[in-house]
Amino acid sequence: MIRLDNVTYGYGATELLSGISVHLQPGSFHFLTGPSGSGKTTLLRLCYSDLTPTSGQVTLFERDAKTLSRDDVARMRRRIGVVHQDCQFLDHLPIAENVALPLATAGRRDEASDLAELLAWVGLSDRAQALPPELSGGERQRAALARAVIMSPDVLIADEPTGNVDWEMSLRLLNLLVELNKMGKTILIATHDLNLIRAAKAQVSARVLRIRDRQIQLAGADL
Amino acid sequence: MSRHSVPALLRANSQADRVVPPSGFTARLTVFSAGAMAFLAVFAMALSFATGRLADRWSQELARTATVRISAPEGQLAAQTAAVLAVLETTPGVAAARALDEAEERALLEPWFGPDLPLDALPIPQLVEIIESAEGFDAEGLRLRLQAEAPGAVLDDHTRWREPLVGAAERIRMLGLLAITLIAATTAAMVSLAANSALAANGQVIRVLRLVGARDSYIARAFVRRFTLRALAGATAGTLLGAIAIALIPKAQTADGFLTGLGFQGAEWLWLLILPPAAATAAFFATRLAAFRSLRKLS
């Protein structure tokens, strides 16, 4: 699905990530962890072609990311759902329209009947007409998740999806992600919440990738 | 290109329109600018039509008449006049030739010298009026024949002073057309600036759209549609107000009046109908260019 081969990325002269090789198999469940500022978000952005590596190769759906045109990138992002750390909503549109935005931009508004079902799944049916700034942190995260999956993507990437929600809400979000994984989606979650990883491991066979010293390591049984 | 044509744009979905938040001030400025430019374009158009009509009239009316002026010593005047008339009668292209009598000459001079002019005491040249036929005569040939038959006769076919007048009218007409072109270019430039400012102000919206998989053409369409419609609305209002202003100019009866002739006649009014679509088209291409240029700079 997504493959990084010997990828290096740096902002300016400093390298943030170097020699990273990761392969996300279809249907796998990965956590990405590491201290703040270690490059978790950067690694995720490389995975949906928001950043281009300084060196090395990123392969998305069997295609070298370097060869993708702007329209190819747009089409590819319809196959990769992303829950961004700061959610990235259009604040002037109600939640229902924000969640349906990927359908609208892809010209597939006729499938909007799934929208009510999806909002019910993330427990936001009664908040459909609220504007994003009116929602709580947990509601925004769940709305972001709903938007990420509305196109029925093959891969779901989430950046700190439980960043500013309480433990109960974290578990609810995790359950939603586990459900998606059981439906066959490839999941990649960046988090520094070790309790969340432990909770997930009880439900699915999740692998943990840890960024340390600009390198990626497969974390062992210490979790 | 068909998906992005102006008519397709007017039918486009409203959802694409809503993804960009409404921006009251820029919107009003764009509508106002398009309106003001259309208003000015109406006057530039009226100027072009009026000078065009004036040039046509001058060339037609003056081209149909000519004058022969005969200055000769007292005793020879009658003989030379007879000779001139004889020459003119046999000149192809001359429909009629007639020597002006004393009363007519007095009437011509009266505005300059007053009614008490002692015409007998002055060596007034004899004037012969020529009415041309439709095909006209050969002025150079006639001039040579007159010289041979009546040495005191001078042909004045009005070309000499008609040409600079018609030339001036044509030049003013060109300036009117140039003004219309400049107005169109300025409209496009102002819409570009407004579109660039809207694109810059909506950087976050554009980023979100890119992240959820919107293609550049979808994002551009949201802006292009908006600015095209604004230019169309503004130009329609401006054209309408300009047309009303032209229609309300008081009509003076002097046919040669230049300023009072400013306006449209008959089918010329229909030309105003192209102003709103022209402004919309200028806005369409200006915004499209600006949108794609600024989108390419983003990831």
Side-chain angles (χ1 to χ4, degrees), chain A residues 45 48 50 70-71 73-75 77-78 80 82 84 88-90 92-94 97-98 101-102 104-106 109 147, chain B residues 13-15 18-22 204-218 295-299:
Chain A
R45 290 175 70 188
Y48 55 88
D50 195 24
R70 289 179 62 81
D71 281 358
V73 169
R75 272 189 286 273
R77 283 182 186 162
R78 295 171 191 173
I80 302 177
V82 182
H84 302 276
Q88 305 273 11
F89 289 122
L90 297 180
H92 64 287
L93 292 182
E97 279 188 58
N98 263 292
L101 197 58
T105 60
R109 266 167 306 135
R147 187 183 66 183
Chain B
N13 62 66
S14 61
Q15 212 282 340
R18 281 164 50 76
V19 296
V20 183
Q204 178 58 20
V205 169
I206 292 171
R207 168 146 182 83
V208 170
L209 289 172
R210 280 294 296 173
L211 285 176
V212 301
R215 293 191 303 151
D216 285 351
S217 57
Y218 179 90
L295 281 169
R296 268 195 296 274
K297 287 189 216 139
L298 304 170
S299 61

Side-chain angles (χ1 to χ4, degrees), chain B residues 250-269:
Chain B
K251 290 278 173 289
Q253 288 310 308
T254 49
D256 295 327
F258 169 68
L259 277 173
T260 52
L262 192 68
F264 301 93
Q265 285 177 1
E268 286 173 5
W269 286 99

Side-chain angles (χ1 to χ4, degrees), chain A residues 150-194:
Chain A
I150 196 162
M151 296 290 281
S152 208
D154 303 315
V155 181
L156 188 91
I157 293 175
D159 193 357
E160 300 281 2
T162 59
N164 47 8
V165 299
D166 59 29
W167 177 242
E168 198 187 335
M169 184 58 68
S170 297
L171 284 181
R172 277 183 69 182
L173 278 164
L174 180 66
N175 286 338
L176 294 174
L177 292 164
V178 168
E179 264 184 66
L180 286 169
N181 182 241
K182 286 181 175 158
M183 287 159 65
K185 312 289 186 199
T186 309
I187 312 277
L188 173 60
I189 302 169
T191 184
H192 59 259
D193 186 346
L194 299 185

